[in-house]
Amino acid sequence: MALSLGWKVFVLFPANCCSFLPKTVRSSGLSLFPWGHCPWRGAGSFLDSEMKAFLEENTDVTSSGSLTPEIQLRLLTPRCRFWWERADLWPYSDPYWAIYWPGGQALSRYLLDNPDTVRGKSVLDLGSGCGATAIAAKMSGASRILANDIDPLAGMAVTLNCELNQLNPFPILTQNILDLEQGKWDLVLLGDMFYDEDLADSLHQWLKKCFWTYKTRVLIGDPGRPQFSGHSIQNQLHKVVEYSLPEPTRQENNGLTTSTVWDFQP
């Protein structure tokens, strides 16, 4: 068998799948919650149970093939049914959260190796996906964490991944934080978010405001995607560390070999 064409496009070329963070997601007020108080929970606990069962049936618990073997995650792997199915058969929005992207791996590895970066600090994980970087921050002693991803299924996955790693679930925001009033954080983390030029521009402006308003430190993880390496933000970055990616991650990411953590200093 071979990975279906639809999933190949999804895994190898995320820049072609830009529904992850729409340009306009408006809402009135924040929705911060440990699981069970989310705004999309219209069907009550039945919907939660249904989503949870779907995730548990169609993801694989793994800690191998990444930079962080300490962290267990529910991911889409070759042992999963939908790895082989046509992508359009997946019944929810595109599961970007089900891949442990290389930028997030680099950020997570750095936090685990350098816990003083987050110990006792408030942390926003922007575009959290599977939640690995937020989990690494929690393991390293962050005092307050918010994971942000607009996909409600990602929120459920983050909660399950917290439980896999014996952590109490932290709050999750399922709205586009770029459209909301900016909060104060000691540290903002974002991995693999510069995959689209328009999104990159929006993120750049938002991060600059965050830095100048609150003196927030910003760490970015990226494996060298052209939308990032060719963006003007490069003039405001300091390289912190570069990691060689494990072979499985290289294969899943079209041959990318390294991933770097950058310190944003506008």
Side-chain angles (χ1 to χ4, degrees):
M1 298 178 73
L3 181 63
S4 71
L5 177 60
W7 287 118
K8 282 182 179 177
V9 172
F10 164 68
V11 174
L12 299 181
F13 304 104
N16 295 328
C17 309
C18 296
S19 62
F20 172 71
L21 190 62
K23 297 175 185 176
T24 307
V25 179
R26 306 292 179 187
S27 185
S28 57
L30 286 171
S31 213
L32 310 182
F33 54 93
W35 207 262
H37 303 283
C38 46
W40 52 272
R41 203 180 162 206
S45 59
F46 171 78
L47 177 60
D48 291 353
S49 298
E50 184 180 69
M51 279 188 167
K52 182 174 184 289
F54 179 85
L55 283 183
E56 290 176 336
E57 180 180 353
N58 292 289
T59 56
D60 182 37
V61 175
T62 181
S63 61
S64 63
S66 76
L67 289 171
T68 57
E70 306 95 317
I71 299 177
Q72 293 193 86
L73 299 168
R74 285 196 168 276
L75 301 174
L76 192 66
T77 77
R79 290 187 289 271
C80 301
R81 167 195 164 196
F82 281 99
W83 184 268
W84 307 103
E85 294 276 14
R86 297 197 324 269
D88 60 351
L89 295 179
W90 181 265
Y92 298 100
S93 57
D94 291 335
Y96 298 102
W97 55 266
I99 304 297
Y100 192 9
W101 302 101
Q105 290 190 32
L107 278 173
S108 302
R109 181 72 270 157
Y110 179 73
L111 298 184
L112 292 172
D113 290 344
N114 301 273
D116 287 346
T117 304
V118 295
R119 185 178 291 122
K121 296 178 180 178
S122 60
V123 176
L124 169 64
D125 183 21
L126 180 59
S128 191
C130 66
T133 301
I135 287 170
K138 184 73 170 179
M139 288 178 167
S140 300
S143 61
R144 182 167 66 98
I145 297 172
L146 175 64
N148 172 226
D149 196 297
I150 66 164
D151 187 346
L153 206 61
M156 176 68 80
V158 170
T159 299
L160 293 177
N161 288 334
C162 284
E163 294 173 356
L164 280 177
N165 293 280
Q166 291 79 55
L167 299 175
N168 292 326
F170 32 73
I172 301 161
L173 170 66
T174 56
Q175 296 169 6
N176 186 347
I177 201 167
L178 302 187
D179 289 335
L180 303 176
E181 183 177 350
Q182 208 162 49
K184 182 177 181 180
W185 302 94
D186 296 322
L187 177 65
V188 172
L189 305 167
L190 61 160
D192 306 284
M193 289 292 286
F194 286 78
Y195 57 79
D196 171 76
E197 291 181 4
D198 290 340
L199 175 57
D201 289 342
S202 296
L203 284 169
H204 189 198
Q205 295 305 313
W206 191 89
L207 293 172
K208 282 196 295 185
K209 182 179 178 183
C210 197
F211 180 90
W212 289 116
T213 303
Y214 298 112
K215 303 303 180 186
T216 300
R217 188 182 186 191
V218 177
L219 294 178
I220 301 171
D222 192 89
R225 293 190 180 89
Q227 297 91 339
F228 182 67
S229 57
H231 195 274
S232 60
I233 197 173
Q234 289 292 319
N235 299 322
Q236 300 169 325
L237 297 176
H238 169 72
K239 180 186 284 189
V240 178
V241 64
E242 184 175 1
Y243 296 100
S244 178
L245 293 170
E247 186 58 32
T249 300
R250 296 185 184 197
Q251 293 176 6
E252 290 177 359
N253 288 273
N254 204 30
L256 294 171
T257 59
T258 63
S259 190
T260 302
V261 175
W262 301 89
D263 196 341
F264 179 54
Q265 299 176 352

